[in-house]
Amino acid sequence: MKRKEKNNVIKILKITIGSIILGLGIVFANMTIGADPLSYFWQGVSVQLNISLGFANLIVSFVLLLIPLIYDRKQINIGTILSPVIIGLTIDSLLPRMPLITSLAATALVFIFAVFCYTLGVAIYVKEDLGRSTYDGSIDILKDRAHISIKTAKTIADTVLFTLAILLGVPFAWGPFVFVLVSGTLIELFLNMLNKYDKIGA
């Protein structure tokens, strides 16, 4: 196997691992006070179409894929397709089997672990640079088209998805707000740690 092909196999393996960890984060968050705004929107689609959360993820991902297909195809690579499939399978395999949490302390601990898994999974996936997620790619296109900062574009997109989820019948939850506040910082932290680890191993 050529070196480039071997590197791509390793990258795909890492994307798979990152997507599973990310999916675990979404599962644990949905056992507590809710996940990120995108996952929260999946719940709305799930409620309205009477489908699983994982399948709702796939539908939303492939609808959002139209945006980079039309405006910026360089955003798309194997990770763009592979990641939502793995995340969806992880969610649908685990979430229905998870126990109900009634303790406040347990809820807090599980939610903290959910945020840890979600942000670590995103960092592992993003670091391999084999395609942006359709949501992140759409935010990047919004930034360029509207001539606004990435932070403003993400805030707009998150707010729209949160509002749509409420309109689609999802009960109000605090989780998405917490994710918006802390996920960016934690993803950056994990990316820095992963990059340092690569330098040490090189």
Side-chain angles (χ1 to χ4, degrees), residues 110-127:
V110 171
F111 182 73
I112 291 169
F113 186 63
V115 174
F116 170 83
C117 288
Y118 177 90
T119 51
L120 176 60
V122 171
I124 293 171
Y125 162 71
V126 167
K127 182 180 176 296

PDB file of all heavy atoms in Angstrom, residues 110-127:
ATOM      1  N   VAL A 110     -23.551  13.090  33.713  1.00  0.00           N
ATOM      2  CA  VAL A 110     -23.719  12.529  32.367  1.00  0.00           C
ATOM      3  C   VAL A 110     -23.648  13.636  31.321  1.00  0.00           C
ATOM      4  O   VAL A 110     -23.055  13.470  30.248  1.00  0.00           O
ATOM      5  CB  VAL A 110     -25.044  11.748  32.256  1.00  0.00           C
ATOM      6  CG1 VAL A 110     -25.321  11.348  30.805  1.00  0.00           C
ATOM      7  CG2 VAL A 110     -25.004  10.501  33.132  1.00  0.00           C
ATOM      8  N   PHE A 111     -24.232  14.800  31.635  1.00  0.00           N
ATOM      9  CA  PHE A 111     -24.197  15.903  30.680  1.00  0.00           C
ATOM     10  C   PHE A 111     -22.774  16.407  30.480  1.00  0.00           C
ATOM     11  O   PHE A 111     -22.361  16.690  29.344  1.00  0.00           O
ATOM     12  CB  PHE A 111     -25.090  17.056  31.145  1.00  0.00           C
ATOM     13  CG  PHE A 111     -25.123  18.206  30.168  1.00  0.00           C
ATOM     14  CD1 PHE A 111     -25.817  18.090  28.967  1.00  0.00           C
ATOM     15  CD2 PHE A 111     -24.442  19.386  30.432  1.00  0.00           C
ATOM     16  CE1 PHE A 111     -25.840  19.133  28.049  1.00  0.00           C
ATOM     17  CE2 PHE A 111     -24.456  20.431  29.523  1.00  0.00           C
ATOM     18  CZ  PHE A 111     -25.156  20.300  28.332  1.00  0.00           C
ATOM     19  N   ILE A 112     -22.000  16.521  31.554  1.00  0.00           N
ATOM     20  CA  ILE A 112     -20.593  16.942  31.446  1.00  0.00           C
ATOM     21  C   ILE A 112     -19.819  15.950  30.582  1.00  0.00           C
ATOM     22  O   ILE A 112     -19.031  16.343  29.713  1.00  0.00           O
ATOM     23  CB  ILE A 112     -19.959  17.068  32.849  1.00  0.00           C
ATOM     24  CG1 ILE A 112     -20.557  18.265  33.605  1.00  0.00           C
ATOM     25  CG2 ILE A 112     -18.439  17.220  32.742  1.00  0.00           C
ATOM     26  CD1 ILE A 112     -20.191  18.319  35.069  1.00  0.00           C
ATOM     27  N   PHE A 113     -20.059  14.658  30.808  1.00  0.00           N
ATOM     28  CA  PHE A 113     -19.395  13.627  30.003  1.00  0.00           C
ATOM     29  C   PHE A 113     -19.844  13.720  28.545  1.00  0.00           C
ATOM     30  O   PHE A 113     -19.052  13.502  27.621  1.00  0.00           O
ATOM     31  CB  PHE A 113     -19.705  12.243  30.569  1.00  0.00           C
ATOM     32  CG  PHE A 113     -18.959  11.130  29.897  1.00  0.00           C
ATOM     33  CD1 PHE A 113     -17.575  11.071  29.939  1.00  0.00           C
ATOM     34  CD2 PHE A 113     -19.648  10.136  29.214  1.00  0.00           C
ATOM     35  CE1 PHE A 113     -16.874  10.054  29.311  1.00  0.00           C
ATOM     36  CE2 PHE A 113     -18.949   9.106  28.583  1.00  0.00           C
ATOM     37  CZ  PHE A 113     -17.571   9.063  28.635  1.00  0.00           C
ATOM     38  N   ALA A 114     -21.115  14.064  28.319  1.00  0.00           N
ATOM     39  CA  ALA A 114     -21.648  14.224  26.963  1.00  0.00           C
ATOM     40  C   ALA A 114     -20.931  15.348  26.224  1.00  0.00           C
ATOM     41  O   ALA A 114     -20.542  15.191  25.054  1.00  0.00           O
ATOM     42  CB  ALA A 114     -23.151  14.504  27.019  1.00  0.00           C
ATOM     43  N   VAL A 115     -20.746  16.465  26.887  1.00  0.00           N
ATOM     44  CA  VAL A 115     -20.046  17.600  26.278  1.00  0.00           C
ATOM     45  C   VAL A 115     -18.603  17.222  25.962  1.00  0.00           C
ATOM     46  O   VAL A 115     -18.076  17.557  24.893  1.00  0.00           O
ATOM     47  CB  VAL A 115     -20.089  18.835  27.208  1.00  0.00           C
ATOM     48  CG1 VAL A 115     -19.240  19.969  26.648  1.00  0.00           C
ATOM     49  CG2 VAL A 115     -21.530  19.312  27.401  1.00  0.00           C
ATOM     50  N   PHE A 116     -17.972  16.490  26.879  1.00  0.00           N
ATOM     51  CA  PHE A 116     -16.594  16.019  26.666  1.00  0.00           C
ATOM     52  C   PHE A 116     -16.521  15.133  25.415  1.00  0.00           C
ATOM     53  O   PHE A 116     -15.668  15.341  24.538  1.00  0.00           O
ATOM     54  CB  PHE A 116     -16.121  15.244  27.907  1.00  0.00           C
ATOM     55  CG  PHE A 116     -14.814  14.521  27.719  1.00  0.00           C
ATOM     56  CD1 PHE A 116     -13.610  15.186  27.871  1.00  0.00           C
ATOM     57  CD2 PHE A 116     -14.797  13.177  27.381  1.00  0.00           C
ATOM     58  CE1 PHE A 116     -12.398  14.522  27.686  1.00  0.00           C
ATOM     59  CE2 PHE A 116     -13.598  12.499  27.192  1.00  0.00           C
ATOM     60  CZ  PHE A 116     -12.397  13.181  27.353  1.00  0.00           C
ATOM     61  N   CYS A 117     -17.415  14.151  25.317  1.00  0.00           N
ATOM     62  CA  CYS A 117     -17.409  13.230  24.167  1.00  0.00           C
ATOM     63  C   CYS A 117     -17.682  13.974  22.865  1.00  0.00           C
ATOM     64  O   CYS A 117     -16.992  13.763  21.858  1.00  0.00           O
ATOM     65  CB  CYS A 117     -18.459  12.131  24.364  1.00  0.00           C
ATOM     66  SG  CYS A 117     -18.057  10.909  25.612  1.00  0.00           S
ATOM     67  N   TYR A 118     -18.682  14.836  22.892  1.00  0.00           N
ATOM     68  CA  TYR A 118     -19.078  15.562  21.677  1.00  0.00           C
ATOM     69  C   TYR A 118     -17.923  16.413  21.139  1.00  0.00           C
ATOM     70  O   TYR A 118     -17.579  16.332  19.961  1.00  0.00           O
ATOM     71  CB  TYR A 118     -20.285  16.444  21.991  1.00  0.00           C
ATOM     72  CG  TYR A 118     -20.748  17.297  20.837  1.00  0.00           C
ATOM     73  CD1 TYR A 118     -21.693  16.828  19.939  1.00  0.00           C
ATOM     74  CD2 TYR A 118     -20.234  18.579  20.630  1.00  0.00           C
ATOM     75  CE1 TYR A 118     -22.120  17.614  18.867  1.00  0.00           C
ATOM     76  CE2 TYR A 118     -20.645  19.365  19.564  1.00  0.00           C
ATOM     77  CZ  TYR A 118     -21.591  18.872  18.690  1.00  0.00           C
ATOM     78  OH  TYR A 118     -21.999  19.648  17.632  1.00  0.00           O
ATOM     79  N   THR A 119     -17.316  17.209  22.008  1.00  0.00           N
ATOM     80  CA  THR A 119     -16.264  18.126  21.556  1.00  0.00           C
ATOM     81  C   THR A 119     -14.983  17.382  21.169  1.00  0.00           C
ATOM     82  O   THR A 119     -14.313  17.758  20.203  1.00  0.00           O
ATOM     83  CB  THR A 119     -15.956  19.180  22.639  1.00  0.00           C
ATOM     84  OG1 THR A 119     -15.708  18.527  23.896  1.00  0.00           O
ATOM     85  CG2 THR A 119     -17.134  20.130  22.822  1.00  0.00           C
ATOM     86  N   LEU A 120     -14.656  16.309  21.895  1.00  0.00           N
ATOM     87  CA  LEU A 120     -13.491  15.494  21.524  1.00  0.00           C
ATOM     88  C   LEU A 120     -13.731  14.834  20.167  1.00  0.00           C
ATOM     89  O   LEU A 120     -12.836  14.823  19.301  1.00  0.00           O
ATOM     90  CB  LEU A 120     -13.216  14.430  22.582  1.00  0.00           C
ATOM     91  CG  LEU A 120     -12.086  13.440  22.267  1.00  0.00           C
ATOM     92  CD1 LEU A 120     -10.758  14.164  22.084  1.00  0.00           C
ATOM     93  CD2 LEU A 120     -11.982  12.374  23.356  1.00  0.00           C
ATOM     94  N   GLY A 121     -14.927  14.299  19.967  1.00  0.00           N
ATOM     95  CA  GLY A 121     -15.257  13.656  18.696  1.00  0.00           C
ATOM     96  C   GLY A 121     -15.169  14.614  17.526  1.00  0.00           C
ATOM     97  O   GLY A 121     -14.616  14.276  16.468  1.00  0.00           O
ATOM     98  N   VAL A 122     -15.683  15.828  17.704  1.00  0.00           N
ATOM     99  CA  VAL A 122     -15.610  16.848  16.652  1.00  0.00           C
ATOM    100  C   VAL A 122     -14.153  17.173  16.335  1.00  0.00           C
ATOM    101  O   VAL A 122     -13.762  17.277  15.170  1.00  0.00           O
ATOM    102  CB  VAL A 122     -16.363  18.127  17.055  1.00  0.00           C
ATOM    103  CG1 VAL A 122     -16.084  19.258  16.060  1.00  0.00           C
ATOM    104  CG2 VAL A 122     -17.864  17.873  17.126  1.00  0.00           C
ATOM    105  N   ALA A 123     -13.341  17.327  17.378  1.00  0.00           N
ATOM    106  CA  ALA A 123     -11.925  17.676  17.187  1.00  0.00           C
ATOM    107  C   ALA A 123     -11.191  16.590  16.396  1.00  0.00           C
ATOM    108  O   ALA A 123     -10.418  16.882  15.477  1.00  0.00           O
ATOM    109  CB  ALA A 123     -11.252  17.892  18.541  1.00  0.00           C
ATOM    110  N   ILE A 124     -11.430  15.322  16.732  1.00  0.00           N
ATOM    111  CA  ILE A 124     -10.780  14.209  16.026  1.00  0.00           C
ATOM    112  C   ILE A 124     -11.200  14.211  14.563  1.00  0.00           C
ATOM    113  O   ILE A 124     -10.370  14.031  13.660  1.00  0.00           O
ATOM    114  CB  ILE A 124     -11.144  12.864  16.693  1.00  0.00           C
ATOM    115  CG1 ILE A 124     -10.535  12.784  18.106  1.00  0.00           C
ATOM    116  CG2 ILE A 124     -10.639  11.684  15.838  1.00  0.00           C
ATOM    117  CD1 ILE A 124     -11.019  11.597  18.917  1.00  0.00           C
ATOM    118  N   TYR A 125     -12.493  14.416  14.331  1.00  0.00           N
ATOM    119  CA  TYR A 125     -13.036  14.410  12.956  1.00  0.00           C
ATOM    120  C   TYR A 125     -12.499  15.582  12.132  1.00  0.00           C
ATOM    121  O   TYR A 125     -12.015  15.402  11.010  1.00  0.00           O
ATOM    122  CB  TYR A 125     -14.560  14.447  13.046  1.00  0.00           C
ATOM    123  CG  TYR A 125     -15.265  14.877  11.778  1.00  0.00           C
ATOM    124  CD1 TYR A 125     -15.311  14.058  10.665  1.00  0.00           C
ATOM    125  CD2 TYR A 125     -15.887  16.120  11.705  1.00  0.00           C
ATOM    126  CE1 TYR A 125     -15.955  14.457   9.506  1.00  0.00           C
ATOM    127  CE2 TYR A 125     -16.533  16.528  10.548  1.00  0.00           C
ATOM    128  CZ  TYR A 125     -16.561  15.686   9.450  1.00  0.00           C
ATOM    129  OH  TYR A 125     -17.190  16.087   8.313  1.00  0.00           O
ATOM    130  N   VAL A 126     -12.553  16.777  12.714  1.00  0.00           N
ATOM    131  CA  VAL A 126     -12.141  17.989  11.996  1.00  0.00           C
ATOM    132  C   VAL A 126     -10.653  17.958  11.674  1.00  0.00           C
ATOM    133  O   VAL A 126     -10.224  18.374  10.592  1.00  0.00           O
ATOM    134  CB  VAL A 126     -12.484  19.252  12.827  1.00  0.00           C
ATOM    135  CG1 VAL A 126     -11.800  20.490  12.258  1.00  0.00           C
ATOM    136  CG2 VAL A 126     -13.992  19.456  12.862  1.00  0.00           C
ATOM    137  N   LYS A 127      -9.852  17.449  12.581  1.00  0.00           N
ATOM    138  CA  LYS A 127      -8.397  17.447  12.419  1.00  0.00           C
ATOM    139  C   LYS A 127      -7.945  16.687  11.171  1.00  0.00           C
ATOM    140  O   LYS A 127      -6.942  17.056  10.545  1.00  0.00           O
ATOM    141  CB  LYS A 127      -7.739  16.849  13.659  1.00  0.00           C
ATOM    142  CG  LYS A 127      -6.221  16.847  13.604  1.00  0.00           C
ATOM    143  CD  LYS A 127      -5.633  16.240  14.847  1.00  0.00           C
ATOM    144  CE  LYS A 127      -4.126  16.163  14.725  1.00  0.00           C
ATOM    145  NZ  LYS A 127      -3.694  15.261  13.617  1.00  0.00           N
TER     146      LYS A 127
END
